[in-house]
Amino acid sequence: MAKQNRGPYILAAGVGVQMLTGIPAAWGVFQRPVMQGYSLSRGQAMLGFAVLVAAYGVGCAVGGLLQDRRGPRTAGLWGTALLAGGFFAAALVPAGNAPLFLLVYSVPVGVGSAFLAPAVMACAQKWYQNRKGWATGVTGVAMGLSGAFFTLFVKGVGGRWGIRICFAALGAIMLLVCGAGAAILQDPPCTGNAKAAQQGMNHRQMIRTRAYKLCVAAVALSSPPVLLFSPEIFSIAADRGLPENAAPFSIVLGSAASAAGRLLCPAGSDRFGRKRVLYLVYLGLAAGSVWFAFAQNWWVLASYALLTFFYSGGAAVQPALNTDLFGLRHAGVNYGFIALGMSAGSLLSYIGSQALPLAARHWLAGGCALVGLFCVRLVKPVGES
């Protein structure tokens, strides 16, 4: 297939894959059914979420290495096997066995999602080298909308047949959709000008730079404004006066806002610059944290949606910034090492959620956003002092 005709197929594959890998953003809809179906405590269920996100960060690095050596298709197919396998295995975990749930569900699902995400994003950027932010955003929209999909699916299938049947059904869908999408992934021919455009640092060179350390810190600090609250957003919304039957809309609206952020922020960064958009992202996270702290009734949904918009928008801009800083040739593995910040942010968020009361968590969220803004401000092109 000619190069100029392959790009849309890559984007379509990316959309299908990303629709099923946005589990961290949708965990709020899984939290209560997992607690009830597996007889887990609040802390155990939240630990399952934290381990999943941490495994996602580590998996991005490992999957990036695999992609760099064997190509995006191989990384994507391995990711599909891990992701679907984790959901199939979770359907068989006996009630009350939290360690086994973490081992067979949280770890492989986090790692599998991470194998797929960098493969999709890096492959799309290589096919659309002049519109890297836009290409990342198109595939990222699907990840944002995955929260709405999971909400409807868990409420429908899980509500009728239980969370175990729901997990098994999701595993089957992931095996089919992600497997087909991964099979389509293919890097473009790398000759002439295209080959020159794909030069850049490898991950060993990158991790020694100051820009890398600042980017990892910024990614970690963007997580608490959302991850400190997303597992319990249903109960938070209900405690703030939202009718109980309206609480699921927090995930659906947050999913729509996430999709908008993943499209608009990277597309805007193509035009206005990566750092300018990231300044807006971190200021939005800080302001949104303050609003969310005091929001009541339906304003809880609006403030939470604002946080998911900027959090997801920043996550979608970061791969394009990474490519600008360190080059396109090793974009997949390099972004994987940047994503280690997600693991650190997940750990910080879990500790904060267990150790701090709700009011203090809001202060932590806003403070992390402001420090993250400072980190982005200090990032400079490699080679500049």
Side-chain angles (χ1 to χ4, degrees), residues 320-370:
L321 175 63
N322 173 69
T323 302
D324 291 346
L325 290 169
F326 307 113
L328 187 59
R329 183 177 181 183
H330 303 285
V333 62
N334 286 350
Y335 176 67
F337 277 81
I338 293 286
L340 289 172
M342 296 181 185
S343 297
S346 173
L347 178 60
L348 175 62
S349 299
Y350 174 71
I351 293 172
S353 69
Q354 299 302 300
L356 299 175
L358 184 60
R361 280 187 261 164
H362 289 298
W363 284 103
L364 176 61
C368 285
L370 291 176

Short mmCIF file of all heavy atoms in Angstrom, two decimals, residues 320-370:
data_model
loop_
_atom_site.label_atom_id
_atom_site.label_comp_id
_atom_site.label_asym_id
_atom_site.label_seq_id
_atom_site.Cartn_x
_atom_site.Cartn_y
_atom_site.Cartn_z
N ALA A 320 4.17 14.69 21.74
CA ALA A 320 4.66 15.58 20.69
C ALA A 320 5.84 16.42 21.20
O ALA A 320 6.82 16.64 20.47
CB ALA A 320 3.54 16.49 20.20
N LEU A 321 5.78 16.88 22.45
CA LEU A 321 6.90 17.60 23.04
C LEU A 321 8.13 16.70 23.11
O LEU A 321 9.26 17.13 22.82
CB LEU A 321 6.54 18.11 24.43
CG LEU A 321 7.67 18.79 25.22
CD1 LEU A 321 8.14 20.05 24.50
CD2 LEU A 321 7.23 19.10 26.64
N ASN A 322 7.90 15.45 23.51
CA ASN A 322 8.99 14.49 23.60
C ASN A 322 9.68 14.33 22.24
O ASN A 322 10.91 14.30 22.15
CB ASN A 322 8.42 13.16 24.07
CG ASN A 322 9.43 12.03 24.05
OD1 ASN A 322 10.37 12.01 24.82
ND2 ASN A 322 9.24 11.08 23.14
N THR A 323 8.89 14.25 21.19
CA THR A 323 9.46 14.10 19.84
C THR A 323 10.21 15.36 19.43
O THR A 323 11.28 15.28 18.81
CB THR A 323 8.34 13.79 18.83
OG1 THR A 323 7.66 12.59 19.24
CG2 THR A 323 8.90 13.58 17.44
N ASP A 324 9.66 16.53 19.75
CA ASP A 324 10.36 17.78 19.44
C ASP A 324 11.72 17.85 20.13
O ASP A 324 12.70 18.31 19.55
CB ASP A 324 9.52 18.98 19.88
CG ASP A 324 8.26 19.17 19.04
OD1 ASP A 324 8.16 18.53 17.97
OD2 ASP A 324 7.37 19.92 19.47
N LEU A 325 11.77 17.39 21.37
CA LEU A 325 13.00 17.50 22.16
C LEU A 325 14.04 16.46 21.78
O LEU A 325 15.24 16.77 21.70
CB LEU A 325 12.68 17.37 23.65
CG LEU A 325 11.92 18.52 24.31
CD1 LEU A 325 11.46 18.11 25.71
CD2 LEU A 325 12.78 19.77 24.38
N PHE A 326 13.58 15.23 21.55
CA PHE A 326 14.53 14.12 21.44
C PHE A 326 14.50 13.41 20.08
O PHE A 326 15.24 12.46 19.88
CB PHE A 326 14.26 13.10 22.55
CG PHE A 326 14.24 13.72 23.92
CD1 PHE A 326 13.07 13.78 24.65
CD2 PHE A 326 15.39 14.28 24.48
CE1 PHE A 326 13.04 14.37 25.91
CE2 PHE A 326 15.37 14.86 25.73
CZ PHE A 326 14.19 14.91 26.46
N GLY A 327 13.67 13.88 19.16
CA GLY A 327 13.66 13.32 17.83
C GLY A 327 12.60 12.25 17.63
O GLY A 327 12.03 11.73 18.59
N LEU A 328 12.36 11.90 16.37
CA LEU A 328 11.27 10.99 16.01
C LEU A 328 11.69 9.54 15.91
O LEU A 328 10.89 8.63 16.10
CB LEU A 328 10.67 11.45 14.66
CG LEU A 328 9.42 10.74 14.16
CD1 LEU A 328 8.28 10.89 15.17
CD2 LEU A 328 9.01 11.30 12.81
N ARG A 329 12.96 9.29 15.64
CA ARG A 329 13.39 7.92 15.34
C ARG A 329 13.08 6.95 16.47
O ARG A 329 12.63 5.83 16.25
CB ARG A 329 14.88 7.90 15.02
CG ARG A 329 15.39 6.53 14.63
CD ARG A 329 16.86 6.57 14.26
NE ARG A 329 17.34 5.25 13.86
CZ ARG A 329 18.60 5.00 13.53
NH1 ARG A 329 19.50 5.97 13.53
NH2 ARG A 329 18.96 3.78 13.19
N HIS A 330 13.33 7.36 17.70
CA HIS A 330 13.10 6.50 18.87
C HIS A 330 11.93 7.02 19.70
O HIS A 330 11.92 6.87 20.93
CB HIS A 330 14.36 6.42 19.73
CG HIS A 330 15.57 5.94 18.99
ND1 HIS A 330 15.77 4.62 18.65
CD2 HIS A 330 16.65 6.62 18.50
CE1 HIS A 330 16.91 4.49 18.01
NE2 HIS A 330 17.46 5.68 17.90
N ALA A 331 10.94 7.62 19.04
CA ALA A 331 9.85 8.29 19.77
C ALA A 331 9.10 7.33 20.69
O ALA A 331 8.73 7.70 21.81
CB ALA A 331 8.89 8.94 18.78
N GLY A 332 8.85 6.10 20.24
CA GLY A 332 8.08 5.18 21.05
C GLY A 332 8.75 4.83 22.37
O GLY A 332 8.17 4.96 23.44
N VAL A 333 10.01 4.41 22.30
CA VAL A 333 10.72 4.04 23.52
C VAL A 333 11.00 5.27 24.38
O VAL A 333 10.92 5.21 25.62
CB VAL A 333 12.02 3.27 23.20
CG1 VAL A 333 12.99 4.11 22.41
CG2 VAL A 333 12.66 2.75 24.48
N ASN A 334 11.32 6.39 23.75
CA ASN A 334 11.59 7.60 24.53
C ASN A 334 10.35 8.06 25.29
O ASN A 334 10.43 8.43 26.47
CB ASN A 334 12.10 8.72 23.62
CG ASN A 334 13.53 8.49 23.17
OD1 ASN A 334 14.22 7.60 23.66
ND2 ASN A 334 13.99 9.28 22.22
N TYR A 335 9.20 8.04 24.63
CA TYR A 335 7.99 8.42 25.35
C TYR A 335 7.69 7.42 26.46
O TYR A 335 7.18 7.78 27.52
CB TYR A 335 6.78 8.52 24.41
CG TYR A 335 5.53 8.81 25.19
CD1 TYR A 335 5.37 10.03 25.84
CD2 TYR A 335 4.54 7.84 25.35
CE1 TYR A 335 4.25 10.28 26.61
CE2 TYR A 335 3.41 8.09 26.12
CZ TYR A 335 3.28 9.31 26.74
OH TYR A 335 2.17 9.56 27.51
N GLY A 336 8.03 6.15 26.22
CA GLY A 336 7.83 5.16 27.28
C GLY A 336 8.59 5.50 28.55
O GLY A 336 8.07 5.34 29.65
N PHE A 337 9.80 6.02 28.39
CA PHE A 337 10.58 6.40 29.57
C PHE A 337 10.06 7.69 30.19
O PHE A 337 10.16 7.88 31.41
CB PHE A 337 12.07 6.51 29.21
CG PHE A 337 12.78 5.19 29.23
CD1 PHE A 337 12.70 4.32 28.16
CD2 PHE A 337 13.49 4.79 30.35
CE1 PHE A 337 13.33 3.08 28.19
CE2 PHE A 337 14.13 3.56 30.40
CZ PHE A 337 14.05 2.70 29.31
N ILE A 338 9.50 8.59 29.38
CA ILE A 338 8.83 9.77 29.93
C ILE A 338 7.63 9.33 30.77
O ILE A 338 7.35 9.89 31.84
CB ILE A 338 8.37 10.71 28.80
CG1 ILE A 338 9.57 11.32 28.06
CG2 ILE A 338 7.47 11.81 29.35
CD1 ILE A 338 10.31 12.39 28.82
N ALA A 339 6.91 8.31 30.29
CA ALA A 339 5.71 7.85 30.97
C ALA A 339 5.98 7.20 32.31
O ALA A 339 5.04 6.92 33.06
CB ALA A 339 4.94 6.88 30.07
N LEU A 340 7.26 6.96 32.66
CA LEU A 340 7.55 6.49 34.01
C LEU A 340 7.06 7.49 35.06
O LEU A 340 6.81 7.13 36.21
CB LEU A 340 9.05 6.26 34.17
CG LEU A 340 9.63 5.04 33.43
CD1 LEU A 340 11.15 5.04 33.51
CD2 LEU A 340 9.06 3.76 34.00
N GLY A 341 6.91 8.74 34.62
CA GLY A 341 6.33 9.74 35.53
C GLY A 341 4.92 9.36 35.96
O GLY A 341 4.48 9.73 37.06
N MET A 342 4.18 8.63 35.10
CA MET A 342 2.85 8.18 35.49
C MET A 342 2.90 7.24 36.68
O MET A 342 2.03 7.27 37.55
CB MET A 342 2.16 7.50 34.31
CG MET A 342 1.88 8.38 33.13
SD MET A 342 1.05 7.46 31.82
CE MET A 342 1.01 8.73 30.53
N SER A 343 3.92 6.38 36.70
CA SER A 343 4.07 5.47 37.83
C SER A 343 4.32 6.24 39.11
O SER A 343 3.72 5.95 40.16
CB SER A 343 5.23 4.49 37.56
OG SER A 343 4.97 3.69 36.44
N ALA A 344 5.20 7.23 39.04
CA ALA A 344 5.48 8.04 40.21
C ALA A 344 4.25 8.82 40.65
O ALA A 344 3.94 8.92 41.84
CB ALA A 344 6.64 9.00 39.92
N GLY A 345 3.52 9.37 39.67
CA GLY A 345 2.31 10.12 40.00
C GLY A 345 1.24 9.24 40.59
O GLY A 345 0.50 9.65 41.50
N SER A 346 1.14 8.00 40.11
CA SER A 346 0.17 7.06 40.67
C SER A 346 0.51 6.72 42.11
O SER A 346 -0.37 6.67 42.98
CB SER A 346 0.15 5.79 39.82
OG SER A 346 -0.65 4.80 40.42
N LEU A 347 1.79 6.49 42.39
CA LEU A 347 2.20 6.17 43.75
C LEU A 347 1.92 7.34 44.69
O LEU A 347 1.39 7.16 45.80
CB LEU A 347 3.69 5.84 43.77
CG LEU A 347 4.31 5.52 45.14
CD1 LEU A 347 3.63 4.32 45.77
CD2 LEU A 347 5.81 5.29 45.02
N LEU A 348 2.26 8.55 44.24
CA LEU A 348 1.98 9.74 45.06
C LEU A 348 0.48 9.88 45.31
O LEU A 348 0.06 10.19 46.44
CB LEU A 348 2.52 10.98 44.34
CG LEU A 348 2.21 12.33 44.98
CD1 LEU A 348 2.82 12.42 46.38
CD2 LEU A 348 2.74 13.46 44.10
N SER A 349 -0.33 9.65 44.28
CA SER A 349 -1.78 9.79 44.43
C SER A 349 -2.35 8.75 45.38
O SER A 349 -3.23 9.05 46.19
CB SER A 349 -2.45 9.69 43.06
OG SER A 349 -2.00 10.71 42.19
N TYR A 350 -1.84 7.52 45.29
CA TYR A 350 -2.36 6.47 46.18
C TYR A 350 -2.01 6.78 47.63
O TYR A 350 -2.86 6.66 48.52
CB TYR A 350 -1.78 5.11 45.78
CG TYR A 350 -2.17 4.02 46.75
CD1 TYR A 350 -3.47 3.54 46.80
CD2 TYR A 350 -1.23 3.49 47.65
CE1 TYR A 350 -3.83 2.55 47.70
CE2 TYR A 350 -1.59 2.51 48.55
CZ TYR A 350 -2.89 2.04 48.58
OH TYR A 350 -3.25 1.08 49.48
N ILE A 351 -0.76 7.17 47.86
CA ILE A 351 -0.37 7.51 49.24
C ILE A 351 -1.21 8.67 49.77
O ILE A 351 -1.69 8.64 50.90
CB ILE A 351 1.13 7.87 49.29
CG1 ILE A 351 1.97 6.62 48.98
CG2 ILE A 351 1.52 8.44 50.65
CD1 ILE A 351 3.45 6.90 48.82
N GLY A 352 -1.41 9.68 48.92
CA GLY A 352 -2.22 10.82 49.33
C GLY A 352 -3.65 10.43 49.62
O GLY A 352 -4.26 10.93 50.59
N SER A 353 -4.22 9.54 48.81
CA SER A 353 -5.62 9.15 49.00
C SER A 353 -5.82 8.36 50.29
O SER A 353 -6.90 8.39 50.88
CB SER A 353 -6.10 8.32 47.81
OG SER A 353 -5.47 7.05 47.78
N GLN A 354 -4.78 7.65 50.73
CA GLN A 354 -4.89 6.85 51.95
C GLN A 354 -4.51 7.63 53.20
O GLN A 354 -5.04 7.37 54.28
CB GLN A 354 -3.99 5.61 51.84
CG GLN A 354 -4.34 4.69 50.69
CD GLN A 354 -5.76 4.17 50.75
OE1 GLN A 354 -6.15 3.52 51.70
NE2 GLN A 354 -6.55 4.48 49.73
N ALA A 355 -3.61 8.59 53.07
CA ALA A 355 -3.06 9.26 54.25
C ALA A 355 -3.73 10.59 54.56
O ALA A 355 -3.64 11.07 55.70
CB ALA A 355 -1.55 9.50 54.05
N LEU A 356 -4.38 11.20 53.57
CA LEU A 356 -4.89 12.56 53.76
C LEU A 356 -6.41 12.61 53.71
O LEU A 356 -7.03 11.86 52.94
CB LEU A 356 -4.33 13.49 52.66
CG LEU A 356 -2.82 13.65 52.60
CD1 LEU A 356 -2.44 14.49 51.39
CD2 LEU A 356 -2.30 14.28 53.88
N PRO A 357 -7.03 13.48 54.50
CA PRO A 357 -8.46 13.71 54.35
C PRO A 357 -8.74 14.43 53.03
O PRO A 357 -7.84 14.96 52.38
CB PRO A 357 -8.80 14.61 55.55
CG PRO A 357 -7.52 15.30 55.89
CD PRO A 357 -6.43 14.32 55.56
N LEU A 358 -10.01 14.44 52.64
CA LEU A 358 -10.38 14.97 51.33
C LEU A 358 -9.93 16.41 51.15
O LEU A 358 -9.40 16.78 50.09
CB LEU A 358 -11.90 14.87 51.14
CG LEU A 358 -12.43 15.29 49.78
CD1 LEU A 358 -11.83 14.43 48.68
CD2 LEU A 358 -13.96 15.20 49.77
N ALA A 359 -10.11 17.25 52.17
CA ALA A 359 -9.74 18.66 52.04
C ALA A 359 -8.24 18.81 51.76
O ALA A 359 -7.83 19.62 50.92
CB ALA A 359 -10.12 19.42 53.30
N ALA A 360 -7.42 18.04 52.45
CA ALA A 360 -5.97 18.12 52.24
C ALA A 360 -5.58 17.63 50.87
O ALA A 360 -4.61 18.12 50.27
CB ALA A 360 -5.25 17.32 53.33
N ARG A 361 -6.33 16.65 50.34
CA ARG A 361 -6.03 16.16 48.99
C ARG A 361 -6.21 17.26 47.94
O ARG A 361 -5.47 17.31 46.95
CB ARG A 361 -6.93 14.97 48.65
CG ARG A 361 -6.45 13.66 49.27
CD ARG A 361 -7.29 12.51 48.75
NE ARG A 361 -8.32 12.13 49.69
CZ ARG A 361 -9.37 11.38 49.38
NH1 ARG A 361 -9.52 10.94 48.15
NH2 ARG A 361 -10.26 11.05 50.29
N HIS A 362 -7.19 18.11 48.15
CA HIS A 362 -7.39 19.23 47.22
C HIS A 362 -6.18 20.17 47.24
O HIS A 362 -5.74 20.66 46.20
CB HIS A 362 -8.66 20.00 47.57
CG HIS A 362 -9.92 19.25 47.26
ND1 HIS A 362 -10.27 18.87 45.98
CD2 HIS A 362 -10.93 18.82 48.06
CE1 HIS A 362 -11.43 18.24 46.00
NE2 HIS A 362 -11.85 18.19 47.27
N TRP A 363 -5.65 20.43 48.42
CA TRP A 363 -4.45 21.27 48.52
C TRP A 363 -3.27 20.62 47.82
O TRP A 363 -2.50 21.29 47.12
CB TRP A 363 -4.12 21.53 49.98
CG TRP A 363 -5.00 22.53 50.65
CD1 TRP A 363 -6.02 22.26 51.52
CD2 TRP A 363 -4.94 23.95 50.51
NE1 TRP A 363 -6.61 23.44 51.93
CE2 TRP A 363 -5.97 24.49 51.33
CE3 TRP A 363 -4.13 24.82 49.80
CZ2 TRP A 363 -6.20 25.85 51.43
CZ3 TRP A 363 -4.35 26.18 49.89
CH2 TRP A 363 -5.37 26.68 50.69
N LEU A 364 -3.10 19.31 48.02
CA LEU A 364 -2.01 18.59 47.36
C LEU A 364 -2.15 18.66 45.85
O LEU A 364 -1.16 18.87 45.13
CB LEU A 364 -2.00 17.13 47.83
CG LEU A 364 -0.97 16.21 47.17
CD1 LEU A 364 0.46 16.69 47.42
CD2 LEU A 364 -1.14 14.76 47.66
N ALA A 365 -3.37 18.49 45.36
CA ALA A 365 -3.60 18.52 43.91
C ALA A 365 -3.21 19.86 43.30
O ALA A 365 -2.49 19.92 42.29
CB ALA A 365 -5.07 18.21 43.62
N GLY A 366 -3.67 20.93 43.92
CA GLY A 366 -3.34 22.26 43.40
C GLY A 366 -1.86 22.56 43.47
O GLY A 366 -1.28 23.15 42.54
N GLY A 367 -1.22 22.15 44.58
CA GLY A 367 0.22 22.39 44.72
C GLY A 367 1.03 21.63 43.68
O GLY A 367 1.99 22.16 43.12
N CYS A 368 0.64 20.38 43.42
CA CYS A 368 1.36 19.59 42.40
C CYS A 368 1.25 20.25 41.03
O CYS A 368 2.22 20.28 40.26
CB CYS A 368 0.79 18.18 42.35
SG CYS A 368 1.29 17.13 43.74
N ALA A 369 0.07 20.78 40.70
CA ALA A 369 -0.11 21.43 39.40
C ALA A 369 0.81 22.64 39.25
O ALA A 369 1.41 22.86 38.19
CB ALA A 369 -1.57 21.84 39.23
N LEU A 370 0.95 23.42 40.31
CA LEU A 370 1.80 24.61 40.24
C LEU A 370 3.27 24.24 40.12
O LEU A 370 4.02 24.88 39.37
CB LEU A 370 1.56 25.49 41.47
CG LEU A 370 0.19 26.17 41.54
CD1 LEU A 370 0.04 26.94 42.86
CD2 LEU A 370 -0.01 27.12 40.36
#
